Amino acid sequence: MHDPAITPELVAKHNLTPDEYQKILEILGREPSYPELGIFSVMWSEHCSYKNTRPVLKTFPTKGEKILVGAGEENAGIIDVGDGVAIAFKIESHNHPSAVEPFQGAATGVGGIIRDIFTMGARPVAALNSLRFGELSNPEVRRLFSGVVGGIAHYGNCFGIPTVAGEVYFDKSYEGNPLVNAFALGVLRHDQITRGAARGVGNPVFYVGPATGRDGLAGAAFASQDLTEESAEQQRGAVQVGDPFMEKLVCEACLELLATGCVAGMQDMGAAGLTCSTCETAARAGTGIEIELDKVPQRAPNMSSYEIMLSESQERMLIVVHKGREAEVKAVFDKWDLPWAEIGVVTDTGRMVVRHGGKVVVDVPAKKLADDAPVYQREAREAAYMAGVRAFRLDGIADTRDPMGHLATLLADHTIASKNWVYGQYDHMVRDGSVVCPGSDAAVIRIKADSLPVTKAEYAALKAGTADPYAPPAPLADKYVAFTVDCNGGYVYLDPYEGGKAAVTEACRNLACSGAIPVGSTDNLNFGNPHNPEIFWQLKESVRGLADGCRAFGAPVTGGNVSLYNQRGALGAIDPTPTVAVVGIIEKPEHITTQWFKDAGDAILLLGAPVDLADPLQGLGGSAYLKRVHGQKNGLPPRVDLAAAQTLHTTLLGLIREGVVKSAHDGSEGGLAVTLAESCFSRQVARESHRFLGATIDLAACAPEGARLDALLFGETQNRVVISVAAIDAGRVVKQARAMGVPAVQIGTVGGDDLVLKTPAGEFSAPVAGLHDRWWNAIARAMA
């Protein structure tokens, strides 16, 4: 095989501009080889270099006293959770591969984020996902939805990691370009943190994992261009194929290898495969690296240098080993029956040198590839549609005359409806650390002693035969970690800044409702083409909102992912979707709180304002009600007062710690009526009759004068939580909340078979069982 000549057409095909190619010529002092052109293409793609977004990303708050590994340093952020224990977590996207081949695209997205965790030295213990699709009335959307969920379930279940939380939104804007964002969290001790750096001149470089094939070629570059029918067809056969059982072996082998003390640095082969792992590890250490492609295990015959370097075959790791300890490394890999090869060495040249067939095919300064990609200041211009959004009013929008009918409609909306069809396919109990499973405001897991990787001392004792391999691990005070993921893309479309703030605030409110204090966040910025000034304005404004929210709640950003070019032909760009996952700590197990009502006779309290009359749309702008009932995605969404939100969260956490709160559920999509309904039936009462707990709600006394009935029931005014307490505690809790500056009122009582809503416009009711049926079975019926 002969490499093609480097022509302007070939350069353009690699998504490199003439100016970027000129910069490559200046760096090399010559024309690049074909493999070098491909390497620059992937490393300077948006997916790997963030060349369009790096200036914006620098505005995130990234510092904090608990941060051990911060944003941009490594594959995942790491936060201290006390007693020498830490958590590693990150979220990433696999949008374009999932659009092309949903099952494997989603599966390998899960595999990739798991590798980002154990390459840091952490044992992966939990996962969540954030998904976006078009409307399920479309057969193609149903195919994509089914494939993605199946792929996530396959990889997570087979690997043995519980998928314990997530979200799914459905909107026409995602019809041509679904979003698949995967998150994973792992645990480790402070002294087990592993760096992805090629340290130690003369240290050998090992490849471990399955052989390299032609799958996923230039996947990073594919993710950094608009999705078209042509590009999708070109990539369809090249989407990576995952093997979760192989990944489990690789994970266990790598964690054992780290316990030997043989490892000087470790990096997974994710986006850009062997290219990214070699140049990034060398750049981080300020060293060079030299590898021999003839030694790389290859799955296909006659693979070219270009193909080997750019392949994104899965479950592969690059490991730098302390010289002289090669035999120990080989023994561990052989024990786990893993393919391995010693393929290179760390040098002092600062260059990434690649040999193949006796020739040097790549010779590039590593830092120029990894750290010196061009950075652009893109033009940002407010979207033209915003004038219409600001001008929108409720004139001509009739108030509801059928509250219970509209409530049933909202509960059956696929975005609001129960996601049991999704999480029922996931194993959320494996490893026995799940405390709060899918179905509440946030997931909660318990970090147990056996969750942590084996220490060097423990491993040495086992090898020496001085420790009992069946003895329980050393005692560790259980730690409880809560996490959730949020983003209302419709809000962000209608007001990017407020939508960004709302995403962080809702995530932190979900944690507060679960009894947790936020400690860190990770985000996935999903947007269209950044060359469009209106889309780049959406991105800048939403990041400003996210950043303000993260600062307000003490949840610094520890890392994440940017996924641009999420648009497809005439279907246009997706709604801007800056997904944010926030992780929190619960101090004591008795503070863990769930969203469903617990006992008949309990008092139901509303913390927060029933309706914000300062908002001309009374919380209906961008609401699920306006969209689902009136077919309108319009109007400024409700504003987020960050100071008021902080006060609400602090007050709620104080009440939870006092032990008076039995349930807490945040108000979001669908408004107060949906929040109350979900509190009735998120979980069936453990009774022989399997009845649900109903509620009688009286809003007549607390409804402000001038409030619309639909705004009272379905408006999405921010900073609201519904809690239940024992009747005897209700008066005291209301007084305490008000003393803290939080609006509070008792609005009802738990009990009965119906949800009864007493309003200024009359009394309305419906059987809880019927509402539950609409909510629980909506997605299953659509997928039947």
Side-chain angles (χ1 to χ4, degrees):
M1 296 177 64
H2 296 285
D3 290 339
I6 308 298
T7 64
E9 292 76 19
L10 189 64
V11 171
K13 190 176 179 181
H14 281 74
N15 294 321
L16 291 165
T17 68
D19 287 345
E20 289 171 346
Y21 183 67
Q22 185 59 41
K23 186 174 181 178
I24 293 171
L25 295 178
E26 293 169 2
I27 290 170
L28 297 178
R30 56 175 171 78
E31 183 180 86
S33 67
Y34 183 50
E36 288 172 338
L37 182 70
I39 286 169
F40 273 103
S41 171
V42 294
M43 291 306 299
W44 285 8
S45 68
E46 176 64 31
H47 191 81
C48 290
S49 74
Y50 301 146
K51 61 186 177 183
N52 293 299
T53 53
R54 195 176 296 182
V56 179
L57 299 180
K58 288 181 178 179
T59 65
F60 277 130
T62 57
K63 304 298 181 183
E65 61 180 23
K66 293 184 179 294
I67 291 181
L68 302 177
V69 177
E73 293 182 35
E74 292 285 348
N75 295 282
I78 298 182
I79 287 183
D80 173 28
V81 294
D83 297 328
V85 177
I87 52 175
F89 58 89
K90 188 183 182 184
I91 192 169
E92 278 208 347
S93 63
H94 231 220
N95 300 338
H96 282 189
S98 300
V100 170
E101 211 301 299
F103 184 92
Q104 289 296 348
T108 51
V110 174
I113 198 64
I114 290 174
R115 286 196 302 280
D116 279 339
I117 299 305
F118 71 73
T119 195
M120 299 298 300
R123 176 173 293 284
V125 295
L128 64 74
N129 51 74
S130 174
L131 312 176
R132 300 290 190 282
F133 298 93
E135 296 181 349
L136 289 179
S137 56
N138 184 330
E140 174 62 11
V141 171
R142 294 198 297 274
R143 182 187 73 85
L144 291 170
F145 180 43
S146 178
V148 164
V149 172
I152 291 170
H154 166 71
Y155 209 100
N157 294 355
C158 293
F159 179 87
I161 186 170
T163 302
V164 289
E167 61 171 2
V168 190
Y169 277 72
F170 299 89
D171 186 89
K172 278 186 177 294
S173 77
Y174 305 106
E175 194 162 295
N177 198 129
L179 303 183
V180 177
N181 295 176
F183 166 102
L185 181 144
V187 298
L188 73 168
R189 296 175 181 84
H190 293 191
D191 60 2
Q192 292 177 313
I193 295 172
T194 303
R195 300 284 181 168
R199 293 193 175 93
V201 173
N203 279 340
V205 176
F206 277 75
Y207 168 119
V208 63
T212 296
R214 293 189 171 98
D215 43 338
L217 281 176
F222 171 53
S224 302
Q225 59 182 305
D226 287 355
L227 184 62
T228 65
E229 297 303 324
E230 181 183 6
S231 68
E233 192 55 43
Q234 287 174 348
Q235 287 290 324
R236 193 174 308 278
V239 171
Q240 307 97 313
V241 177
D243 182 347
F245 299 106
M246 175 64 77
E247 178 129 321
K248 179 64 173 175
L249 295 178
V250 172
C251 175
E252 296 301 333
C254 287
L255 292 178
E256 179 174 339
L257 193 63
L258 291 170
T260 67
C262 296
V263 176
M266 185 163 67
Q267 172 89 345
D268 78 300
M269 297 188 204
L274 193 54
T275 287
C276 192
S277 58
T278 49
C279 72
E280 284 191 351
T281 52
R284 287 194 188 112
T287 59
I289 194 165
E290 186 169 318
I291 61 172
E292 174 59 67
L293 297 188
D294 288 327
K295 296 180 179 179
V296 173
Q298 296 164 45
R299 195 165 67 236
N302 302 317
M303 289 186 69
S304 68
S305 309
Y306 182 100
E307 291 171 330
I308 298 170
M309 289 301 296
L310 270 64
S311 167
E312 293 185 7
S313 294
Q314 296 293 288
E315 292 90 37
R316 301 177 302 158
M317 303 290 288
L318 190 81
I319 301 175
V320 180
V321 174
H322 290 297
K323 188 173 179 61
R325 305 191 67 177
E326 294 89 341
E328 295 174 72
V329 174
K330 295 171 185 177
V332 170
F333 292 155
D334 287 342
K335 169 189 170 181
W336 290 97
D337 197 23
L338 285 171
W340 60 267
E342 186 177 338
I343 65 169
V345 66
V346 178
T347 69
D348 61 0
T349 65
R351 305 183 73 83
M352 180 175 81
V353 177
V354 180
R355 301 179 184 275
H356 194 197
K359 298 179 181 178
V360 173
V361 293
V362 174
D363 186 352
V364 181
K367 272 193 171 294
K368 293 293 182 182
L369 271 176
D371 300 333
D372 290 347
V375 176
Y376 298 105
Q377 299 282 349
R378 294 294 177 200
E379 179 188 356
R381 183 177 65 246
E382 181 177 287
Y385 65 79
M386 284 301 300
V389 170
R390 290 195 181 96
F392 179 81
R393 292 295 180 268
L394 297 174
D395 302 338
I397 302 291
D399 203 342
T400 180
R401 293 185 177 180
D402 182 16
M404 303 316 285
H406 289 154
L407 173 58
T409 296
L410 287 173
L411 290 171
D413 180 78
H414 297 143
T415 294
I416 293 175
S418 170
K419 305 305 182 298
N420 68 85
W421 186 90
V422 177
Y423 65 72
Q425 299 181 52
Y426 303 155
D427 186 339
H428 42 264
M429 294 301 294
V430 64
R431 297 194 60 81
D432 194 32
S434 304
V435 179
V436 178
C437 294
S440 197
D441 283 329
V444 180
I445 62 168
R446 176 168 60 107
I447 298 176
K448 306 173 295 177
D450 65 359
S451 301
L452 293 162
V454 173
T455 67
K456 292 178 182 178
E458 290 168 340
Y459 185 77
L462 288 170
K463 293 292 286 184
T466 59
D468 179 1
Y470 302 104
L476 171 74
D478 286 345
K479 299 187 179 299
Y480 296 88
V481 177
F483 45 97
T484 186
V485 62
D486 281 292
C487 180
N488 185 323
Y491 278 8
V492 183
Y493 172 78
L494 296 168
D495 189 330
Y497 175 68
E498 288 294 334
K501 280 201 302 182
V504 178
T505 303
E506 183 179 350
C508 292
R509 194 164 62 241
N510 285 335
L511 292 183
C513 287
S514 304
I517 301 173
V519 293
S521 61
T522 176
D523 57 70
N524 206 131
L525 306 180
N526 304 276
F527 290 83
N529 192 318
H531 296 269
N532 181 333
E534 294 190 352
I535 286 176
F536 201 72
W537 173 80
Q538 292 175 339
L539 190 153
K540 285 186 69 175
E541 283 296 288
S542 64
V543 166
R544 186 166 69 92
L546 289 178
D548 282 353
C550 290
R551 272 188 286 269
F553 299 112
V557 176
T558 63
N561 177 242
V562 176
S563 175
L564 305 182
Y565 305 94
N566 289 294
Q567 55 191 67
R568 192 165 189 165
L571 294 171
I574 62 165
D575 278 353
T577 310
T579 303
V580 60
V582 185
V583 178
I585 301 299
I586 300 176
E587 292 183 352
K588 297 180 179 179
E590 56 265 33
H591 297 163
I592 297 170
T593 310
T594 50
Q595 71 182 38
W596 41 84
F597 296 145
K598 303 300 187 296
D599 298 296
D602 285 345
I604 301 168
L605 279 57
L606 173 64
L607 304 183
V611 179
D612 179 9
L613 292 182
D615 176 1
L617 302 181
Q618 299 187 16
L620 289 172
S623 67
Y625 169 80
L626 204 60
K627 177 183 172 184
R628 189 75 173 85
V629 174
H630 294 283
Q632 297 255 26
K633 186 163 75 174
N634 208 343
L636 290 172
R639 295 296 185 259
V640 177
D641 182 328
L642 292 174
Q646 280 182 294
T647 302
L648 170 66
H649 299 183
T650 302
T651 301
L652 176 59
L653 285 167
L655 293 170
I656 287 173
R657 288 170 180 172
E658 282 185 33
V660 296
V661 176
K662 291 190 173 184
S663 72
H665 186 19
D666 87 301
S668 55
E669 286 92 357
L672 184 56
V674 165
T675 302
L676 290 164
E678 289 177 340
S679 299
C680 288
F681 53 57
S682 295
R683 180 179 180 181
Q684 284 182 305
V685 183
R687 303 273 196 271
E688 289 184 7
S689 60
H690 298 289
R691 291 170 54 195
F692 300 100
L693 276 176
T696 298
I697 308 298
D698 188 352
L699 299 175
C702 68
E705 187 176 349
R708 291 170 57 115
L709 180 58
D710 52 7
L712 178 65
L713 296 178
F714 309 119
E716 297 173 8
T717 294
Q718 296 291 290
N719 298 340
R720 299 185 302 176
V721 173
V722 169
I723 66 173
S724 64
V725 302
I728 195 172
D729 294 323
R732 177 169 61 88
V733 170
V734 167
K735 286 181 181 179
Q736 282 184 240
R738 290 175 178 174
M740 292 293 293
V742 175
V745 63
Q746 180 173 345
I747 60 171
T749 305
V750 177
D753 296 325
D754 297 342
L755 175 59
V756 180
L757 301 177
K758 298 178 181 179
T759 76
E763 181 176 314
F764 309 92
S765 66
V768 171
L771 295 174
H772 175 269
D773 177 70
R774 295 290 298 270
W775 175 79
W776 182 262
N777 294 308
I779 291 178
R781 286 169 179 149
M783 296 299 292

